[in-house]
Amino acid sequence: MKNAKISSYRKKQQGIVLAITLLVLVAMMLAAVGMMRSVDTSVIAVGNLSLKQAAEGPVNLAIEEVIQQALGLAATPEALDNNGGLGGDYYYASIQPTNDKGIPDVMANGTGNFLQRTINGMTLNTMVERMCRGTGAGSPAICLTNLIGTPDDRHKAGEELAILGGGATNYLYRITIRVDGAKNTRAYAQAYVFL
């Protein structure tokens, strides 16, 4: 009689063990998928950080090259009054619309003209903007300059505006560089200079 009770008890339990085993396997599979996604995200983040660090030198070099090229044209400032003034289509004589991160739309969308070069396997796309509300001859009324105050302040006070650093009026330029690296990594750098 005891044997009959034990065998009927075992028959009832066989289905429950299988169901619990299947639930444990599903939970382990979900945990494995979650870990794989976490590792993929970490790899992408580390790749972006390493691109930013590796791009620092080439970005500085590109900024210096553009500044030297612009300084060479400083003797003829009217060359910088129109788009393409630095001898290439990558120069914009007026401020371009930007996205919420301050990157010009033409750069972020890849629709503009850029000075392109490849250094150490990274592609650097450079554009330069004169910080003016329009093209043509620059003036403190429409451009950001090294003058302190506004033209209205000068006329009200009856005195000349102070000039940062002394000397002539210089205009502000924004240099934006997009760095495209391996595995679709991308970084941006910007520099502002008075020329």
Side-chain angles (χ1 to χ4, degrees), residues 23-90:
L23 287 175
V24 170
L25 285 174
V26 167
M28 288 175 56
M29 184 178 68
L30 291 174
V33 167
M35 287 178 55
M36 286 182 359
R37 284 190 177 185
S38 171
V39 168
D40 286 346
T41 304
S42 298
V43 167
I44 290 170
V46 169
N48 281 337
L49 286 174
S50 65
L51 171 71
K52 288 180 182 180
Q53 290 175 348
E56 207 170 294
V59 163
N60 288 335
L61 178 66
I63 290 170
E64 289 300 322
E65 286 177 3
V66 168
I67 290 171
Q68 291 303 317
Q69 188 175 10
L71 286 175
L73 294 173
T76 56
E78 60 275 358
L80 300 177
D81 290 343
N82 296 303
N83 292 338
L86 286 176
D89 292 337
Y90 63 93

Side-chain angles (χ1 to χ4, degrees), residues 87-159:
D89 292 337
Y90 63 93
Y91 174 76
Y92 297 86
S94 61
I95 300 172
Q96 300 299 300
T98 61
N99 63 19
D100 59 342
K101 295 179 181 174
I103 305 298
D105 289 340
V106 294
M107 177 67 80
N109 301 334
T111 57
N113 296 312
F114 314 114
L115 174 63
Q116 192 176 69
R117 64 178 63 108
T118 301
I119 301 175
N120 296 335
M122 295 175 279
T123 302
L124 280 70
N125 296 293
T126 305
M127 68 177 280
V128 180
E129 302 164 86
R130 183 176 66 166
M131 302 305 284
C132 295
R133 289 191 302 265
T135 60
S139 74
I142 64 166
C143 299
L144 295 174
T145 67
N146 60 338
L147 299 175
I148 299 174
T150 65
D152 290 336
D153 294 338
R154 179 182 66 215
H155 295 301
K156 288 177 189 172
E159 58 189 50

Side-chain angles (χ1 to χ4, degrees), residues 166-188:
T169 301
N170 294 325
Y171 297 101
L172 184 65
Y173 295 85
R174 175 171 54 195
I175 303 168
T176 305
I177 300 174
R178 185 184 74 212
V179 182
D180 297 322
K183 297 183 181 178
N184 295 323
T185 53
R186 178 171 287 171
Y188 292 93

